[in-house]
Amino acid sequence: MPTMTPATEAIWRDFVRHAGLGRADYQVVAFGDTPGMATELAALVVAGTKRATASVLRDYADGRMPLPAVGDFVVVVDGAGAPRCIWRTTEIAIKPLDAVDARFAWDEGEGDRTLAWWVDAHRRYFARQAERDGFAMHDAILTVFERFTVVWPPDIADCR
């Protein structure tokens, strides 16, 4: 799990100053399980293609990461740990993996953006995670479906 660094603090301070926020917290997120995947998916967010993400609910059970909530701010870092943007969570749904719909697959912005591609890719990704972390992967595993809007920097923010 990525952590706060001087670089994430700098982008956060710029955003807070621009947005006129008082006290607010943020999380740091890198997508995927390799630096290459983190960079590729962060680029999709910056390009405006990716506006959703999914994770296994059990990732939050031990408290090492807070469960995402509507209104959260997230600094997205690439595979080198460089901050690329800040998003604000707009929607959270917790449901079985196999309850995903075509709209969510499209919003996640990966592959060919179809439901079939999304299901296959996430089954493989979560299976790698299950093997690494020692849990059973199945299609009904509870999944956190998160949608977001980019709020910083201004040149890529969804409100431009």
Side-chain angles (χ1 to χ4, degrees):
M1 183 173 103
T3 59
M4 295 174 185
T5 65
T8 64
E9 284 290 317
I11 192 174
W12 179 250
R13 277 192 312 273
D14 288 347
F15 168 66
V16 167
R17 188 172 28 258
H18 174 81
L21 295 178
R23 290 186 44 85
D25 294 323
Y26 69 96
Q27 301 299 316
V28 179
V29 167
F31 292 108
D33 56 1
T34 66
M37 185 182 283
T39 297
E40 175 186 342
L41 298 181
L44 290 176
V45 175
V46 170
T49 307
K50 182 174 180 62
R51 290 297 183 261
T53 191
S55 54
V56 178
L57 179 62
R58 73 176 311 280
D59 288 347
Y60 310 98
D62 64 6
R64 67 186 159 105
M65 294 189 307
L67 183 65
V70 171
D72 284 354
F73 290 103
V74 175
V75 175
V76 178
V77 297
D78 63 19
R84 299 295 308 275
C85 63
I86 299 173
W87 86 50
R88 189 154 202 196
T89 301
T90 58
E91 182 182 319
I92 294 289
I94 299 172
K95 55 189 176 184
L97 177 66
D98 58 4
V100 66
D101 59 28
R103 183 175 153 247
F104 190 87
W106 178 264
D107 291 347
E108 193 153 350
E110 299 173 27
D112 67 7
R113 300 179 84 172
T114 64
L115 181 59
W117 189 96
W118 189 97
V119 169
D120 181 59
H122 284 77
R123 279 180 180 147
R124 285 184 283 115
Y125 176 78
F126 291 153
R128 286 195 311 271
Q129 183 181 353
E131 184 176 326
R132 189 176 56 246
D133 294 346
F135 65 90
M137 171 54 196
H138 51 86
D139 282 352
I141 196 162
L142 287 180
T143 304
V144 179
F145 296 91
E146 180 176 5
R147 283 191 168 85
F148 54 84
T149 186
V150 173
V151 296
W152 192 258
D155 61 328
I156 67 164
D158 293 330
C159 57
R160 54 185 153 173

